[in-house]
Amino acid sequence: MGTPHVKAKRRRPARGRRPRRRVCLRKGCGRKYQPRRWNQRYCQDPECLRQVRRWLAARRQAKRRQDARVKVRHAQAEKERRQRAKVAPEAIENPEVAPARGHAAENFFLSPYAIDQAATNPP
Ligand SMILES: [Zn+2]
């Protein structure tokens, strides 16, 4: 006789369920990743996250600009800014010549070559 055909029902335990690998939803990314949370939509690449946050901030800002009160306030602020620019244009067009900052300022005048050779011998 043949062996009895047993239909084995294989079911995964509900506990050990983990979300499947997904594709990152950010446009232009498309990386596959293993989500840590069920509602995670983007891969955790730092550059991708930065871009996502940027995009979210831009969207938030765009939505905010739709608000009529915000529009009025912005128009008022721009009006004031134009008035200020009309009253004192020199303050904006001629910023004070500030001393050099950053790497260019460091050690330049301390080095004797900055004065001796580089300044006297043009390339
Ligand atoms: Zn991504």
Side-chain angles (χ1 to χ4, degrees):
M1 308 293 170
T3 50
H5 192 73
V6 178
K7 274 188 184 169
K9 274 189 183 173
R10 265 194 276 168
R11 203 177 271 179
R12 262 189 271 171
R15 269 189 152 228
R17 250 193 311 182
R18 236 219 277 179
R20 281 167 222 219
R21 282 165 70 77
R22 292 178 194 161
V23 176
C24 180
L25 286 182
R26 187 176 71 81
K27 217 184 247 182
C29 180
R31 245 183 294 249
K32 284 197 170 178
Y33 66 99
Q34 184 70 52
R36 299 287 166 88
R37 297 267 188 282
W38 63 273
N39 58 354
Q40 186 183 328
R41 290 180 209 166
Y42 308 101
C43 72
Q44 297 299 297
D45 183 75
E47 177 60 23
C48 185
L49 279 182
R50 224 188 54 177
Q51 295 288 333
V52 166
R53 293 210 183 98
R54 227 177 96 165
W55 178 74
L56 285 173
R59 199 178 61 166
R60 220 182 306 130
Q61 187 61 34
K63 268 190 186 165
R64 191 180 135 77
R65 277 197 292 263
Q66 301 283 313
D67 193 336
R69 280 172 303 176
V70 173
K71 270 184 196 172
V72 169
R73 191 186 292 175
H74 181 72
Q76 182 67 29
E78 283 294 292
K79 200 174 170 185
E80 280 168 21
R81 188 182 64 78
R82 282 192 297 268
Q83 294 264 318
R84 259 181 281 133
K86 210 184 280 176
V87 170
E90 291 96 35
I92 297 154
E93 280 170 23
N94 298 324
E96 273 185 59
V97 179
R101 284 178 295 171
H103 68 274
E106 290 167 23
N107 297 331
F108 185 77
F109 291 108
L110 294 176
S111 165
Y113 296 107
I115 298 159
D116 291 339
Q117 288 180 352
T120 52
N121 298 330

